[in-house]
């Protein structure tokens, strides 16, 4: 009955659902007694039916009874109790009992805050998933305290600070964890101690992977289970567990601050403000169900805003803007779709304009996006209402893009700023630069020759797999025995212009030709074991990137390098995110001059930056340059080389400002006026430390 009732409820057929869920309640009460957990679940379902029909008074007794049962059954710290507390808080809010609501929602949040803070001490890898699954509790908490602040201006600042902490709990990001882990290693301040921290993090990652495999194995039908394999997994888990205990004991003795650094606790609003420079600000978003919340802060003040655009509407608006930013398939200037500057202004007015009152004098802006905003650089928003339409590319050059006002840096989380500025010490690497790219792929000028391919005005660096592979070739055939088929991989178009790009970056940094790893040298096994990566401050990859899920059989993103003659485990031409995470870096900046390098790791409901970006942060970099959509090759070359020229000429400006100046120069390119379209100048963002420090 519960299943059918749930189906009707999901379809909005509440009249059909109600008798079924009430019958389920009667059955559970008769079979198990009035205090069984299944009774509480049925009570919760009935309350939910009334809630969805805007009947809070009818929902209240059912939610209250479920709450009492769960508190008695589970005790004070169980997530099921938090669910009931949040349900009662919502009912009280809808009934206008806002002061009662805040007491209940604070209790619900406190349960999950405790579970988050202790997740670093547990070996289970399920912490982020659980945190994401209860975002509705954090959203409700923010909404309730904002309502109280609006009613009582005297409490507004304190409540905004409270909501700011809760908002960070709603931003569960694996990339943010990677930044924290990197900062903890460098925060050790000692090479041997840093290696111990890395060993602990790698061992925990290995333990979690084996634990997941064991769980999957135990879930198989009895006839499919392998007792010997299960015993092997248990033995290996026990061995790694003992190793973790020894590492923890060593860290507790030699680095007692590690536990604090590695714990993903929210940052206090006042602490964030101390981390900002005089001309800096931070804006952070939480995209909730029906509303979006925004915090804007400077060194001397902060403000919270409730924006009347919900998570789904935000996703639709971003998708519409993104639709005209992808150059894939474009072969002529006439094919370039017009960018909707009116829609970009409307989104600016809803999302950003409220914060402008705090941003006078700001030059560098940290942005912590949420929801669909994780896939859209805010620089493409338009800061003034368009007065008239335009018919050529010169109109884009005159458009008041937000990128013209602020140098912007993306952060995976608010806590990333603390990790980067308080704990991640400057790189001690001695080499200025390594540039890896120009792999030997289809139609490539052979090694020893200069690139001679004529530049195509709208050539896109993205790989069109349907064009590369003839009809009838199963994409899964790219992978055989877990390795890439190097013959199929060699059909990917070459990018000889990336050699020029990397050489220009090297020149800007004062590095010589020995810093370039090109063509036959740009192979996976050399990157993984034969290059001085740990001793290099700036590392650039200029090649193709493959997004997770883009090819059947590839479950994680990867960079394409020169394929070997025969694929091996050490080298199959694809440098995957997991292989990148295993690298040992001490880099100030990693440049990923490729397509879609800001994309997720391909997992269900993955957050932005959880793919290649997360892997490079974990490996050990303080900042990244990544792209949000396929990039036009010639525009990408001008953007990356331009930003390094700006940084070399003005070393005091910081990475984000160097990128902004390069963008503005590209917009104003007289030889290629179409570069004024944001499709060309806006794909790249700086992630991590983008300031002048």
């Amino acid at each position: 009955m519960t299943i059918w009732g749930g189906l009707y409820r999901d379809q909005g057929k509440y009249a059909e659902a109600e008798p079924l869920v009430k019958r389920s309640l009667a059955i559970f009460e008769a079979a198990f007694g009035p205090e069984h957990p299944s009774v509480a679940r049925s009570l919760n379902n009935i309350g939910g039916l009334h809630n969805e029909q805007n009947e809070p008074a009818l929902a209240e007794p059912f939610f209250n009874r479920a709450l009492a049962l769960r508190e008695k059954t589970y005790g004070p710290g169980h997530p099921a109790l938090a669910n009931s507390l949040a349900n009662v808080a919502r009912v009280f809010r809808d009934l206008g009992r806002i002061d009662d609501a805040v007491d209940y929602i604070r209790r619900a949040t406190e349960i999950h805050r405790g579970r988050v803070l202790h997740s670093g001490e547990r070996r289970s890898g399920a912490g982020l998933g659980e945190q994401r699954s209860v975002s509705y509790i954090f959203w409700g908490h923010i909404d309730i305290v904002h309502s109280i602040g609006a009613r009582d201006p005297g409490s507004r600042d304190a409540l905004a600070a409270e909501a700011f902490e809760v908002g960070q709990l709603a931003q569960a990001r694996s990339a943010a964890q990677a930044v924290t882990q990197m900062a903890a290693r460098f925060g050790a301040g000692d090479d041997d101690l840093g290696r111990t921290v890395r060993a602990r993090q790698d061992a925990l990652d290995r333990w979690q992977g084996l634990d997941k495999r064991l769980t999957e194995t135990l879930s198989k039908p009895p006839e499919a289970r392998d007792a010997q394999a299960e015993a092997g997994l248990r033995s290996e888990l026990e061995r790694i567990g003992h190793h973790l205990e020894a590492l923890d004991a060593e860290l507790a003795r030699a680095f007692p601050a590690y536990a604090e650094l590695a714990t993903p606790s929210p940052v206090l609003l006042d602490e964030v403000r101390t981390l900002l420079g005089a001309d800096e600000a931070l804006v952070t978003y939480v995209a909730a169900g029906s509303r979006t919340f925004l915090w804007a802060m400077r060194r001397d003040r902060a403000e919270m805003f409730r924006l009347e655009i919900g998570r789904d509407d935000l996703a639709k608006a971003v998708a519409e803007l993104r639709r005209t930013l992808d150059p894939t398939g474009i072969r002529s200037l006439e094919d370039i779709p017009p960018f909707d500057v009116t829609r970009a202004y409307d989104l600016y007015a809803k999302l950003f304009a409220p914060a402008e009152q705090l941003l006078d004098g700001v030059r560098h802006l940290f942005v912590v996006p949420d929801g669909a905003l994780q896939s859209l650089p805010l620089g493409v928003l338009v800061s003034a209402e368009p007065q008239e339409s335009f018919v050529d590319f010169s109109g884009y050059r005159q458009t008041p893009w937000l990128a013209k006002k602020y140098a912007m840096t993306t952060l995976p989380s608010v806590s990333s700023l603390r990790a980067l500025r308080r704990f991640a010490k400057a790189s001690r690497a001695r080499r200025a630069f390594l540039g890896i790219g120009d792999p030997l792929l289809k139609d490539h000028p052979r090694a020893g020759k200069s690139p001679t391919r004529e530049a195509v005005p709208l050539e896109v660096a993205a790989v069109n797999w349907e064009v590369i592979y003839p009809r009838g070739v199963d994409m899964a055939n790219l992978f055989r025995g877990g390795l890439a088929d190097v013959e199929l991989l060699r059909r990917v178009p070459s990018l000889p212009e990336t050699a020029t790009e990397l050489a220009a970056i090297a020149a800007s940094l004062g590095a010589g030709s020995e810093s370039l790893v090109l063509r036959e040298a740009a192979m996976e096994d050399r990157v993984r074991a034969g290059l001085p990566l740990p001793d290099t401050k700036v590392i650039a990859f200029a090649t193709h990137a493959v997004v997770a899920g883009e090819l059947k059989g590839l479950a994680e993103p990867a960079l394409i390098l020169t394929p070997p003659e025969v694929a091996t485990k050490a080298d199959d031409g694809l440098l995957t995110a997991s292989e990148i995470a295993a690298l040992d870096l001490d880099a100030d900046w990693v440049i990923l001059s490729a397509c879609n390098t800001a994309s997720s790791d391909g997992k269900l409901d993955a957050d932005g930056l959880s793919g290649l970006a997360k892997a490079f942060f974990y490996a050990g970099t303080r900042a990244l340059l990544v792209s949000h959509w396929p990039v036009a090759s010639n525009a990408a070359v001008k953007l990356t080389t331009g930003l390094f020229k700006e940084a070399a000429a003005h070393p005091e400006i910081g990475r984000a400002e160097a990128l902004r100046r390069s963008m503005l120069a590209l917009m104003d390119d007289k030889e290629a006026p179409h570069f004024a379209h944001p499709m060309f100048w806006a794909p790249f963002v700086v992630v991590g430390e983008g300031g002048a420090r």
Side-chain angles (χ1 to χ4, degrees):
M1 296 300 177
T2 302
I3 295 174
W4 284 106
L7 289 173
Y8 282 132
R9 174 181 170 179
D10 292 342
Q11 296 171 14
K13 299 178 179 178
Y14 301 118
E16 292 90 340
E18 186 171 346
L20 293 175
V21 294
K22 287 185 174 178
R23 186 174 176 188
S24 295
L25 172 62
I27 291 172
F28 284 133
E29 285 181 318
F32 303 128
E35 297 184 351
H36 194 272
S38 296
V39 172
R41 186 168 61 249
S42 290
L43 290 166
N44 216 42
N45 290 338
I46 297 171
L49 279 176
H50 289 300
N51 228 5
E52 291 177 18
Q53 298 175 81
N54 296 316
E55 299 170 339
L58 296 178
E60 181 185 357
F62 293 101
F63 280 149
N64 271 324
R65 187 179 163 197
L67 171 60
L69 285 179
R70 285 175 166 174
E71 191 155 25
K72 183 176 181 179
T73 303
Y74 296 119
H78 197 276
L81 176 62
N83 170 259
S84 282
L85 288 165
N87 287 335
V88 173
R90 177 179 174 182
V91 164
F92 285 162
R93 182 202 64 189
D94 293 345
L95 290 173
R97 296 168 56 184
I98 197 75
D99 293 320
D100 292 328
V102 75
D103 292 336
Y104 281 80
I105 200 66
R106 280 172 174 161
R107 288 178 61 195
T109 293
E110 199 54 38
I111 289 172
H112 282 290
R113 181 197 293 265
R115 294 175 67 83
V116 168
L117 295 182
H118 287 92
S119 64
E121 301 170 14
R122 300 196 306 265
R123 291 181 187 166
S124 171
L128 279 179
E130 178 183 311
Q131 197 174 338
R132 289 194 190 103
S133 72
V134 297
S135 291
Y136 70 95
I137 292 178
F138 307 136
W139 297 344
H141 190 149
I142 296 167
D143 194 40
I144 288 169
V145 297
H146 181 273
S147 297
I148 295 175
R151 184 192 66 186
D152 178 14
S155 65
R156 184 178 298 162
D157 289 347
L159 291 171
E162 176 183 337
F164 177 68
E165 292 182 56
V166 176
Q168 294 172 63
L169 297 174
Q171 298 170 331
R173 311 274 168 74
S174 58
Q177 280 191 338
V179 172
T180 300
Q181 290 167 325
M182 173 272 295
R185 293 199 299 272
F186 294 134
D190 175 88
D191 288 344
D192 290 339
L193 199 51
R195 281 190 284 270
T196 301
V197 173
R198 174 65 185 256
R200 199 265 181 195
Q201 292 168 352
D202 290 345
L204 179 59
D205 186 64
R206 172 73 173 153
W207 192 97
Q208 290 174 347
L210 290 171
D211 184 56
K212 181 180 179 181
R213 283 175 55 192
L214 180 60
T215 301
E216 292 169 348
T217 300
L218 296 175
S219 301
K220 293 179 180 179
E223 63 274 11
R225 288 175 57 176
D226 184 335
Q228 185 175 357
E230 291 174 16
L233 287 170
R234 293 182 192 277
S235 176
E236 183 66 3
L237 280 168
E238 184 177 7
R239 185 191 68 78
I240 297 176
H242 290 316
H243 182 49
L244 278 168
E245 290 171 1
L247 292 170
D248 285 339
E250 171 63 16
L251 289 172
R253 181 191 64 79
F255 190 16
Y258 173 71
E260 178 186 353
L261 295 184
T263 299
S265 57
V267 188
L268 299 178
L269 190 149
D270 286 344
E271 182 182 358
V272 173
R273 286 164 51 186
T274 67
L275 298 171
L276 297 170
D279 63 348
E280 292 184 321
L282 181 143
V283 296
T284 178
Y285 292 89
V286 170
S290 59
R291 297 183 178 95
T292 294
F293 296 92
L294 164 66
W295 291 262
M297 60 205 68
R298 305 277 301 273
R299 279 173 104 175
D300 58 345
R301 58 195 184 278
E303 189 73 47
M304 173 186 177
F305 306 91
R306 185 166 65 186
L307 312 176
E308 297 307 317
I309 180 170
R311 196 174 182 89
D312 291 343
D313 288 340
L314 179 59
K316 291 176 184 176
V318 169
E320 282 299 313
L321 289 180
R322 282 284 306 248
R323 188 176 56 81
T324 58
L325 292 171
D326 188 338
T328 305
I330 294 175
R331 292 294 177 265
S332 69
L333 299 182
E334 290 74 23
D335 294 336
I336 299 174
F339 183 78
D340 193 338
V341 292
T342 300
R343 188 185 296 274
Y345 170 72
D346 289 342
L347 198 55
Y348 161 84
K350 291 175 181 176
L351 282 175
F352 196 86
E356 289 266 38
Q357 58 182 298
L358 277 81
L359 302 181
D360 184 40
V362 168
R363 300 180 64 182
H364 179 216
L365 188 66
F366 285 106
V367 179
V368 184
D370 192 33
L373 284 181
Q374 294 177 88
S375 63
L376 185 77
L378 289 189
V380 302
L381 300 184
V382 176
S383 62
E385 187 171 7
Q387 298 302 308
E388 57 185 27
S389 60
F390 44 85
V391 295
D392 60 25
F393 293 108
S394 64
Y396 293 119
R397 193 177 302 120
Q398 307 305 320
T399 298
W401 305 108
L402 206 57
K404 291 184 176 181
K405 295 182 71 172
Y406 307 106
M408 298 187 189
T409 298
T410 299
L411 290 174
S413 70
V414 175
S415 63
S416 298
L417 182 63
R418 175 178 61 182
L420 289 162
R421 291 205 160 169
R422 187 149 289 174
F423 303 119
K425 295 178 172 61
S427 170
R428 291 187 288 180
R430 293 167 296 178
R431 296 177 61 99
F433 179 67
L434 271 176
I436 303 156
D438 189 19
L440 291 176
L441 300 170
K442 182 181 179 182
D443 297 330
H444 191 288
R446 298 306 299 172
K449 298 180 181 179
S450 299
T452 58
R453 187 171 63 180
E454 182 179 352
V456 179
L458 291 176
E459 183 174 14
V460 179
V463 179
N464 189 333
W465 299 105
E466 294 179 0
V467 172
I468 292 172
Y469 296 135
R471 188 171 299 174
V473 173
D474 189 341
M475 296 295 187
N477 288 342
L478 181 62
F479 300 93
R480 296 178 178 177
L483 302 176
D485 186 318
V486 294
E487 293 304 319
L488 290 178
L489 198 61
R490 266 190 271 272
R491 297 185 190 178
V492 175
S494 61
L495 295 167
E497 63 274 13
T498 59
T500 304
E501 176 183 1
L502 294 172
I505 295 174
S508 296
L509 294 171
S513 59
E514 73 283 353
S515 66
L516 302 179
V517 183
L518 308 174
R519 307 179 187 113
E520 68 279 353
M523 298 185 71
E524 180 190 353
D525 58 352
R526 190 169 181 214
V527 171
R528 293 172 64 182
L531 293 176
L533 295 177
D535 198 29
T536 304
K537 293 190 178 200
V538 178
I539 302 167
F541 287 86
T543 181
H544 293 291
V546 188
V547 176
E550 194 169 13
L551 295 175
K552 294 178 182 178
L554 183 63
E556 57 180 335
L559 296 172
I560 297 177
L561 298 173
T562 296
E565 290 299 319
V566 178
T568 65
K569 288 185 178 181
D571 189 350
D572 65 353
L574 286 177
L575 185 66
T576 63
S578 58
E579 291 166 339
I580 291 165
L583 299 175
D584 180 17
L585 308 181
D586 185 10
D588 280 332
W589 204 0
V590 170
I591 310 299
L592 299 182
S593 183
C595 298
N596 296 308
T597 49
S599 298
S600 74
D601 59 7
K603 295 177 183 174
L604 184 64
D605 196 30
D607 53 277
L609 304 174
S610 62
L612 295 174
K614 170 190 169 184
F616 275 107
F617 275 123
Y618 184 83
T621 185
R622 286 106 173 136
L624 283 163
L625 184 75
V626 293
S627 59
H628 274 297
W629 53 79
V631 296
S633 297
N634 43 6
V637 170
K638 290 193 174 187
L639 279 169
T640 57
T641 57
L643 76 88
F644 276 101
K645 287 178 182 176
E646 289 290 342
H650 309 281
E652 76 284 356
I653 63 175
R655 302 179 183 101
E657 175 62 18
L659 175 61
R660 188 185 78 90
R661 294 185 184 188
S662 185
M663 288 177 177
L664 297 181
L666 194 67
M667 287 183 208
D668 201 36
D669 191 315
K670 300 300 189 294
E671 296 180 357
H674 57 282
F675 283 166
H677 191 295
M679 172 187 295
F680 300 100
W681 60 259
F684 288 105
V685 294
V686 177
V687 184
E689 177 54 88
R693 300 185 177 210

